[in-house]
Amino acid sequence: MALTYLWAGFFIVGFLAALGQWIFLGDTEVFKKIVDGTFESAKVGVMDIALPLAGVMTLWLGILNVGEKAGFIGTIAKVIAPFFSRIFPDVPKNHPATGHMVMNFSANFLGLDNAATPFGLKAMESLQSLNPVKDTASNAQIMFLVLQTAGLTLIPLTVMAQRAVLGAQDPSDIFIPTLIATYAGTLVAFLALSFKQRINILDPVIFAWLGGMTLFILGIVWYFSHYLTRTEIQQVSKVASNLVLFGIIVLFLVGGLVKKINVYEAFIEGAKGGIQTSLMIIPYLVGMLVAISVLRNSGVLGMIVNGFTWLFTQMGFNTDFTPSLPTALMKSVSGSGARAMMIDAMKTYGVDSFVGRLVSILQGSSDTTLYIIALYFGSVGITKTRYAVGFGLLADLAGVIAAIWVAYLFFH
């Protein structure tokens, strides 16, 4: 119901804001702008997202099926099983869902967005097979989804590329701050969900995995900052990401051939689900994107930012960060909207300004919570999201606070 109220609320609040602008400011174009935006968003949802996603889904679901038949998914599941069996207690050991989730988290961590989405949708489908109430999100699905929305990413390639296009002197200078911010959001989300679902984080296995991942993150940060120049960081990131992506495809195919599997038939079998999944998510995508468009074009976000600026001024805080809040607020609801706001801020204030760098960190520090909820839950027909939205937004909030903090630390 939370998603239902939120979705309807976007339309209601947007209408009231537009009505106020028409009555009190005489803005006769506001309703036309909103209506035009709804048509454009509906078109984007189908033509620019769902249909291109169909091709990507077809490819990666086929490859994933080859890897599953070759035994790779099962092997990965066995390695990670001790940790996942504790944070996903409702998922049986060696269940395919474990391997699918690992592949999804790995792809996200390396910034491989196109690969992460098919893996994530496959993971949600696997978890749905264990879900006793098909229209209601299970604890395991919520844990997976919230960790997904936290968006733990090692290399924010798209953000660095955009900074380079706009002429940043050092496009990758936001690498370490972004890594710190995204890890903070993920850790907060996991700890909060563990408390909610009564998962013992002091369990030796969980504690060891969390400690190991923390040390791994710190080790990467230390290596990149001490042994590579900024240019080398970007070059190594691009090569490593694409090498891993193509390496996964080749590894799955070679493994299938070694086990004497008809890899082409296995690919076709898995690929058939790509179109079906893409068609299924269209209503959910269009509904959410249109609602976001209403909120954006009605000027509600601008009002919220002005309110925050006044509030922080009254509290005596430095308000240099407030121009970045539209990106922070939009990030939870629309990735494309947040990207557009990030670019606008960098053009307005300068790509190497404090605001320009802060919006870059914000863009890379979390994923698009409401979009992911609509996409992933919509793909398996879940309409009752329980507490997923609240905890997903909590992860976003932690990422935003951490991003602002590290931006002041590094660049102010």
Side-chain angles (χ1 to χ4, degrees):
M1 291 298 292
L3 190 58
T4 298
Y5 290 132
L6 186 66
W7 181 73
F10 283 0
F11 285 94
I12 295 170
V13 172
F15 174 77
L16 293 176
L19 190 64
Q21 292 180 58
W22 176 49
I23 295 174
F24 297 107
L25 301 178
D27 187 350
T28 58
E29 295 293 320
V30 63
F31 288 108
K32 182 180 184 301
K33 183 179 179 182
I34 291 175
V35 172
D36 289 346
T38 62
F39 286 115
E40 179 63 24
S41 296
K43 177 184 176 183
V44 167
V46 176
M47 301 300 295
D48 296 345
I49 298 178
L51 292 184
L53 181 62
V56 177
M57 287 291 299
T58 299
L59 169 64
W60 280 100
L61 287 181
I63 295 296
L64 190 62
N65 193 53
V66 174
E68 189 170 346
K69 290 184 179 297
F72 286 106
I73 302 300
T75 300
I76 294 171
K78 288 179 181 178
V79 172
I80 202 86
F83 177 64
F84 269 37
S85 65
R86 287 163 173 80
I87 69 172
F88 295 100
D90 298 329
V91 178
K93 292 183 178 180
N94 301 325
H95 192 277
T98 301
H100 298 153
M101 288 189 288
V102 170
M103 295 298 293
N104 170 260
F105 289 138
S106 300
N108 269 328
F109 186 66
L110 293 170
L112 308 176
D113 297 336
N114 288 339
T117 299
F119 290 146
L121 291 172
K122 186 65 175 178
M124 187 60 69
E125 180 184 332
S126 299
L127 292 173
Q128 182 71 348
S129 69
L130 301 170
N131 187 5
V133 185
K134 298 303 182 184
D135 66 342
T136 303
S138 65
N139 282 351
Q141 287 173 316
I142 293 174
M143 173 66 80
F144 169 68
L145 191 89
V146 172
L147 292 179
Q148 170 82 1
T149 63
L152 180 60
T153 304
L154 170 64
I155 306 163
L157 284 178
T158 56
V159 177
M160 291 193 294
Q162 188 62 64
R163 287 177 53 77
V165 169
L166 293 177
Q169 184 177 1
D170 190 352
S172 60
D173 60 4
I174 49 91
F175 164 70
I176 294 177
T178 301
L179 183 60
I180 296 172
T182 188
Y183 185 68
T186 303
L187 188 60
V188 168
F190 175 73
L191 294 176
L193 267 180
S194 296
F195 179 79
K196 174 69 174 179
Q197 297 185 0
R198 299 182 180 180
I199 295 171
N200 180 19
I201 61 172
L202 297 179
D203 179 280
V205 174
I206 295 179
F207 191 78
W209 272 87
L210 285 180
M213 286 189 288
T214 301
L215 290 175
F216 177 67
I217 292 289
L218 293 176
I220 290 174
V221 170
W222 181 80
Y223 174 77
F224 272 60
S225 60
H226 284 78
Y227 290 97
L228 298 179
T229 65
R230 302 297 188 184
T231 302
E232 289 173 338
I233 288 175
Q234 195 169 15
Q235 292 174 344
V236 170
S237 299
K238 289 180 180 179
V239 173
S241 296
N242 289 287
L243 178 62
V244 169
L245 184 60
F246 189 59
I248 289 173
I249 297 175
V250 174
L251 183 64
F252 282 5
L253 293 177
V254 171
L257 291 173
V258 169
K259 290 200 170 185
K260 298 182 178 179
I261 296 169
N262 189 325
V263 293
Y264 185 69
E265 287 187 1
F267 172 82
I268 297 299
E269 178 186 344
K272 289 178 180 178
I275 300 296
Q276 297 172 355
T277 301
S278 298
L279 291 176
M280 183 178 294
I281 66 175
I282 286 177
Y284 297 91
L285 276 177
V286 171
M288 185 58 69
L289 289 175
V290 169
I292 292 167
S293 172
V294 170
L295 195 68
R296 181 171 64 248
N297 291 320
S298 66
V300 171
L301 286 178
M303 299 177 196
I304 294 174
V305 170
N306 290 336
F308 274 122
T309 300
W310 178 86
L311 176 63
F312 287 121
T313 300
Q314 298 302 311
M315 296 172 64
F317 286 106
N318 181 288
T319 58
D320 290 348
F321 71 93
T322 54
S324 69
L325 288 180
T327 302
L329 294 170
M330 185 57 71
K331 184 61 179 175
S332 294
V333 294
S334 170
S336 59
R339 189 177 301 110
M341 289 184 173
M342 175 190 73
I343 293 171
D344 180 71
M346 287 193 289
K347 288 182 175 179
T348 302
Y349 295 92
V351 66
D352 287 325
S353 67
F354 172 71
V355 172
R357 288 187 169 108
L358 175 53
V359 293
S360 301
I361 299 170
L362 287 168
Q363 182 71 6
S365 64
S366 65
D367 217 322
T368 312
T369 296
L370 298 183
Y371 166 79
I372 289 177
I373 288 174
L375 177 66
Y376 281 50
F377 282 165
S379 69
V380 293
I382 288 176
T383 57
K384 299 177 182 177
T385 61
R386 299 172 68 201
Y387 51 87
V389 174
F391 279 80
L393 294 177
L394 174 64
D396 291 348
L397 177 62
V400 167
I401 293 174
I404 294 172
W405 177 75
V406 296
Y408 273 96
L409 182 65
F410 278 75
F411 303 118
H412 198 270

